[in-house]
Amino acid sequence: MKAAGSWSDPRRGSPLVAAGVSAHRTSATRANREAAGDPGLPWRQAAGAERTRRGTGGSDRRGEPAALPARRRMMEPAVSLAVCALLFLLWVRVKGLEFVLIHQRWVFVCLFLLPLSLIFDIYYYVRAWVVFKLSSAPRLHEQRVRDIQKQVREWKEQGSKTFMCTGRPGWLTVSLRVGKYKKTHKNIMINLMDILEVDTKKQIVRVEPLVTMGQVTALLTSIGWTLPVLPELDDLTVGGLIMGTGIESSSHKYGLFQHICTAYELVLADGSFVRCTPSENSDLFYAVPWSCGTLGFLVAAEIRIIPAKKYVKLRFEPVQGLEAICAKFTHESQRQENHFVEGLLYSLDEAVIMTGVMTDEVEPGKLNSIGNYYKPWFFKHVENYLKTNREGLEYIPLRHYYHRHTRSIFWELQDIIPFGNNPIFRYLFGWMVPPKISLLKLTQGETLRKLYEQHHVVQDMLVPMKCLQQALHTFQNDIHVYPIWLCPFILPSQPGLVHPKGNEAELYIDIGAYGEPRVKHFEARSCMRQLEKFVRSVHGFQMLYADCYMNREEFWEMFDGSLYHKLREKLGCQDAFPEVYDKICKAARH
């Protein structure tokens, strides 16, 4: 999807603020004298006028040049700025450069990344609109696929000296890390970012791999359709959600993103093109999800669509006590009449559980367009129901609901822009939020990257619902990060890297932890290895976009590699693509 270490409000205790208050008081004193009718004011004004008549060579009654007060007034801003700069440098020296790089990153983000992100969004929106209106994508798609095949065949003719990977820059991905392999592998350029076809009769949308969830919702909701599972962040791509994974609050009904896909089109290691479905090349169809592009290059996918309604009728219910939270969440996740189920855990004993259904009707006074730029961040809005200990019912426009966590990047943006949810900031600058994750990565220096790694956690662990209470205790003990995102999903018993332990579908839950660990003496490697060990012990899975500290043996204990390795050998992938572990392990990313 999915920032930095120990954050605080940069204004609190800042000498810059103190200097600003002092200057404000000086100005206020002058204004108060005028308002109070200072008896000396007319005399001073008259004296000033007399000195003006005398010319610049005149002097006041103390013998000082008349121009000096004016010069002093002109110097005041420069002196104030110099004092502020000096105090700021002293503050940097006291706090340390690394502290300031993290805690004051909001300055760079607000001045540069927010406007740049807006320009990116406008460009890609206009481009997608023009391409769709001109229907040029289907005509160009086949030519682009042939170009990919040509690149692969040229790689083979040149001796297949290195592994292949996509040529998309690593900083453009939603993963917080950039793959080192991009610098050493043969980069195959894949410029496939368009929606190819919407077939409402077959209830299928055919898309290229770099199509984003923002593109999909903008188009489908405008014509009355939607994806059964539509993962949250705008910039998530179809290719990333297939080759990795994706989840949403409707997953308790429909499964993960891979489970709503009906066909994949790939270019294989020998340059050949293949289409796979559950009935045609089925082994490859089930092996592709979670494979991270190590079986072939995805060039298109067909995905189910369902009729959409205008709004989501969303109920908010605060729950106290861990046992009650787990029982309530499990119960709501098993109810198929709920279109959406989600939980936000604000502490080990406090949560708000949300359930929703799609509807075309709205009760008067209960519409909440939560996606408007001036609205409070969604997780803060939800927290109000917990603080006031009251239930609530709201009607949210469907697209607003799908991207309810986008503006605040769940709750990560509060660590980057601490005042981002302030009403003044929202009204003045909220229309530019959020900064693109890719740009945040691109401008992240080595020092900041290391500090993030040691002082920040971004993880999604998928565990059986029956282990929820045990899992939350483990998260509390190992990392202690709140809020925690709770999202249920049904995991079908199908071949591939990820499936339940038994032969039947099982209800799982995604536990998402994003933020600063508050556990004492947190050490990223040891704490995360402890958490990974627990997840393996309950037959759970770790999302592969996040930092993975497992060794190879532990990784294949978590994931079922039987079908995957069989196909790698059959399709000649061993000399063409690295193994999935070698792409996602900690050593492969920086």
Side-chain angles (χ1 to χ4, degrees):
M1 234 10 10
K2 29 203 228 137
S6 174
W7 301 93
S8 61
D9 190 330
R11 299 168 296 175
R12 189 177 299 134
S14 170
L16 293 175
V17 176
V21 170
S22 176
H24 170 73
R25 286 175 178 167
T26 302
S27 302
T29 302
R30 294 195 189 102
N32 291 339
R33 285 177 180 169
E34 293 177 10
D38 183 354
L41 189 58
W43 180 86
R44 283 193 291 273
Q45 290 172 337
E50 178 63 22
R51 284 196 297 273
T52 301
R53 287 193 296 271
R54 291 176 187 171
T56 58
S59 62
D60 62 16
R61 58 193 183 95
R62 292 173 295 181
E64 295 177 347
L68 279 181
R71 288 175 185 169
R72 285 173 182 163
R73 287 194 295 273
M74 292 174 63
M75 290 292 291
E76 280 179 1
V79 171
S80 297
L81 286 174
V83 170
C84 288
L86 180 60
L87 291 173
F88 179 75
L89 291 174
L90 289 172
W91 185 54
V92 170
R93 172 138 193 181
V94 171
K95 291 289 189 180
L97 179 61
E98 292 182 350
F99 177 92
V100 175
L101 280 174
I102 292 180
H103 292 264
Q104 304 306 313
R105 198 180 183 203
W106 63 269
V107 176
F108 180 75
V109 170
C110 291
L111 293 180
F112 298 102
L113 295 194
L114 286 182
L116 195 56
S117 297
L118 183 66
I119 293 170
F120 268 58
D121 284 337
I122 292 173
Y123 167 75
Y124 282 112
Y125 175 82
V126 172
R127 181 197 175 282
W129 183 85
V130 170
V131 167
F132 188 77
K133 289 296 182 182
L134 295 177
S135 298
S136 62
R139 296 198 305 270
L140 296 175
H141 176 73
E142 290 185 6
Q143 176 57 45
R144 289 170 177 164
V145 172
R146 286 195 294 270
D147 181 63
I148 294 168
Q149 292 177 285
K150 179 182 177 183
Q151 293 179 69
V152 173
R153 287 169 182 150
E154 287 175 352
W155 166 82
K156 285 183 68 65
E157 292 170 1
Q158 293 168 2
S160 309
K161 297 177 182 178
T162 62
F163 289 136
M164 292 183 289
C165 66
T166 64
R168 190 184 188 210
W171 58 269
L172 278 174
T173 64
V174 174
S175 168
L176 294 184
R177 305 287 177 245
V178 176
K180 297 178 183 177
Y181 57 85
K182 293 282 185 180
K183 297 178 181 179
T184 58
H185 293 183
K186 169 66 175 177
N187 283 213
I188 304 298
M189 302 310 298
I190 298 179
N191 183 29
L192 300 170
M193 57 181 68
D194 296 311
I195 297 173
L196 300 173
E197 180 186 7
V198 179
D199 189 332
T200 55
K201 291 184 179 179
K202 294 182 180 178
Q203 297 193 3
I204 292 293
V205 59
R206 183 167 174 255
V207 299
E208 294 178 329
L210 296 182
V211 167
T212 67
M213 291 301 99
Q215 284 176 261
V216 170
T217 53
L219 174 64
L220 291 184
T221 56
S222 68
I223 58 176
W225 293 84
T226 187
L227 299 183
V229 176
L230 206 152
E232 167 65 37
L233 300 177
D234 280 11
D235 290 341
L236 292 172
T237 63
V238 169
L241 295 169
I242 292 171
M243 292 296 185
T245 193
I247 191 171
E248 186 41 84
S249 55
S250 57
S251 289
H252 68 292
K253 288 172 65 73
Y254 300 104
L256 298 172
F257 189 83
Q258 69 203 57
H259 299 128
I260 64 168
C261 296
T262 60
Y264 306 129
E265 298 172 16
L266 299 102
V267 171
L268 301 180
D270 60 357
S272 61
F273 172 86
V274 64
R275 184 175 187 271
C276 53
T277 70
S279 58
E280 177 187 5
N281 298 311
S282 60
D283 280 356
L284 183 58
F285 177 82
Y286 290 116
V288 162
W290 295 74
S291 67
C292 297
T294 59
L295 293 174
F297 294 110
L298 184 70
V299 294
E302 294 179 10
I303 310 169
R304 288 173 54 201
I305 58 176
I306 59 174
K309 295 186 178 180
K310 295 179 182 178
Y311 307 100
V312 173
K313 180 181 180 181
L314 194 63
R315 295 187 181 275
F316 302 80
E317 183 174 348
V319 184
Q320 307 286 340
L322 183 57
E323 287 188 15
I325 291 169
C326 294
K328 177 67 175 176
F329 194 79
T330 301
H331 172 70
E332 295 296 347
S333 301
Q334 293 170 338
R335 297 180 61 201
Q336 291 300 297
E337 56 265 36
N338 287 328
H339 294 164
F340 307 101
V341 179
E342 174 185 28
L344 294 184
L345 193 73
Y346 292 92
S347 74
L348 190 60
D349 299 310
E350 296 178 308
V352 177
I353 295 174
M354 290 158 280
T355 57
V357 295
M358 284 194 284
T359 180
D360 286 322
E361 306 298 328
V362 176
E363 295 180 36
K366 293 188 177 182
L367 177 64
N368 183 6
S369 300
I370 194 68
N372 289 342
Y373 69 87
Y374 51 83
K375 288 284 189 174
W377 289 346
F378 185 71
F379 79 98
K380 287 292 187 183
H381 174 65
V382 173
E383 191 176 16
N384 286 333
Y385 285 103
L386 183 64
K387 289 179 176 179
T388 57
N389 195 28
R390 62 184 177 88
E391 296 183 7
L393 175 65
E394 297 177 358
Y395 291 82
I396 300 176
L398 181 62
R399 191 159 187 249
H400 289 212
Y401 176 79
Y402 279 142
H403 301 291
R404 62 200 178 280
H405 293 297
T406 293
R407 288 190 300 124
S408 57
I409 317 179
F410 281 84
W411 31 91
E412 290 280 66
L413 197 58
Q414 68 179 348
D415 292 342
I416 301 171
I417 307 177
F419 47 83
N421 195 46
N422 183 286
I424 296 175
F425 180 86
R426 293 200 312 265
Y427 274 89
L428 293 179
F429 305 108
W431 50 278
M432 290 193 291
V433 167
K436 284 196 168 294
I437 295 175
S438 55
L439 294 180
L440 290 172
K441 286 170 59 180
L442 181 63
T443 57
Q444 182 185 61
E446 184 65 16
T447 298
L448 197 57
R449 183 193 65 77
K450 290 180 179 178
L451 287 168
Y452 280 14
E453 180 180 328
Q454 286 302 321
H455 302 286
H456 202 80
V457 165
V458 179
Q459 291 284 347
D460 282 87
M461 298 295 189
L462 315 181
V463 300
M465 183 68 78
K466 62 189 177 186
C467 302
L468 176 57
Q469 188 168 337
Q470 184 185 0
L472 293 178
H473 273 297
T474 303
F475 270 74
Q476 164 91 359
N477 295 334
D478 289 345
I479 57 175
H480 196 179
V481 170
Y482 293 100
I484 281 178
W485 189 53
L486 303 176
C487 185
F489 68 98
I490 191 71
L491 185 60
S493 180
Q494 295 176 347
L497 286 162
V498 172
H499 55 75
K501 193 171 184 178
N503 295 322
E504 296 182 357
E506 185 174 352
L507 189 62
Y508 270 63
I509 182 168
D510 175 6
I511 303 177
Y514 326 119
E516 176 195 353
R518 295 184 179 88
V519 66
K520 289 184 179 179
H521 312 300
F522 175 80
E523 198 279 319
R525 181 178 178 82
S526 61
C527 290
M528 289 313 306
R529 279 188 56 79
Q530 190 70 20
L531 190 58
E532 290 169 345
K533 181 180 179 181
F534 164 78
V535 174
R536 290 196 306 273
S537 72
V538 297
H539 196 72
F541 309 95
Q542 179 182 30
M543 283 199 184
L544 301 184
Y545 77 88
D547 287 340
C548 172
Y549 292 89
M550 292 181 284
N551 60 38
R552 193 181 303 273
E553 182 181 351
E554 292 166 339
F555 180 85
W556 290 118
E557 179 187 338
M558 177 178 285
F559 296 95
D560 181 359
S562 55
L563 178 61
Y564 171 79
H565 290 302
K566 172 187 168 184
L567 281 172
R568 274 180 61 82
E569 183 176 355
K570 177 181 177 181
L571 300 175
C573 298
Q574 292 164 325
D575 296 324
F577 305 105
E579 188 180 287
V580 60
Y581 175 78
D582 293 317
K583 288 190 73 172
I584 62 87
C585 69
K586 191 68 182 64
R589 293 171 172 173
H590 63 83

